[in-house]
Amino acid sequence: AGANWASAAEQRFGRIDVLINCAGVLLHYPIDEEDESALDTMLEINLKAPLRLTRAALPALRETGSGRIVNLVSMSGKRVKGISAGYSISKYAEMAMTHATRNAAWDDGVRVTALCSSWVDTDMAQVSNMEREKMTRREDVAELVKTTIELPNTAHLNEITVNCQLEV
């Protein structure tokens, strides 16, 4: 699927300048759960889908000399809260993929950023007991992505953390 997307994008636009991986599903999976189907689903969507798209787009991004990849990783890729471990496991893995991609493509001018937000006012955030008006707005995340992709190669942001509440 990733190769098909990259091919279609190149045919339609002539090149790929930016890839934004905004994939995520949040399922309950505590560490002592023996049925790994929820974990498998999260790894497939939260890690493998962005990995496949990245792998497919990377040749075209390298050709530009200034390609950009922004992975919306989540603060769950930097810390674990609560007892549901699966989401954090998948997002830590996505964080590792982000760093590995940056290392692999840096010399070709590709810059890769992990955007790690806490609660953003999206449908997924309905599992939170936080009031939606206190969450980070989607528009603010979009503005950060825009800023990240517009920066020159000499002013790269490896990671951005965005919080709507105090992280301790």
Side-chain angles (χ1 to χ4, degrees):
N4 291 340
W5 171 84
S7 177
E10 281 192 278
Q11 286 178 0
R12 180 168 183 192
F13 301 107
R15 59 190 279 161
I16 298 174
D17 295 296
V18 176
L19 172 64
I20 300 169
N21 284 309
C22 182
V25 63
L26 172 60
L27 303 173
H28 183 66
Y29 178 79
I31 200 73
D32 56 355
E33 175 65 55
E34 290 189 28
D35 177 0
E36 295 180 355
S37 58
L39 177 61
D40 292 340
T41 297
M42 286 184 283
L43 288 171
E44 185 64 33
I45 294 169
N46 300 352
L47 171 64
K48 289 185 177 183
L51 173 62
R52 291 177 185 127
L53 286 171
T54 297
R55 187 172 43 235
L58 208 46
L61 291 165
R62 283 179 162 136
E63 285 180 24
T64 70
S66 60
R68 299 289 182 264
I69 300 173
V70 180
N71 293 329
L72 278 75
V73 173
S74 168
M75 283 298 291
S76 293
K78 298 186 69 62
R79 49 87 171 126
V80 178
K81 286 189 167 186
I83 62 168
S84 188
Y87 186 71
S88 287
I89 290 169
S90 70
K91 290 300 186 170
Y92 266 82
E94 185 182 17
M95 180 67 87
M97 181 204 66
T98 301
H99 289 296
T101 305
R102 182 176 41 257
N103 294 347
W106 182 271
D107 289 342
D108 297 314
V110 178
R111 301 297 182 253
V112 187
T113 300
L115 199 155
C116 304
S117 59
S118 60
W119 291 111
V120 177
D121 184 12
T122 64
D123 291 342
M124 184 188 293
Q126 291 178 6
V127 301
S128 170
N129 58 7
M130 178 181 280
E131 298 170 35
R132 292 185 82 147
E133 57 272 357
K134 292 184 178 179
M135 295 179 184
T136 299
R137 296 178 326 150
R138 291 172 287 189
E139 298 83 7
D140 295 331
V141 173
E143 186 66 29
L144 289 168
V145 170
K146 178 180 179 281
T147 298
T148 300
I149 63 177
E150 290 177 343
L151 289 171
N153 282 1
T154 56
H156 172 63
L157 298 170
N158 293 333
E159 295 180 14
I160 303 170
T161 58
V162 182
N163 294 305
C164 60
Q165 61 189 359
L166 180 63
E167 290 277 343
V168 290

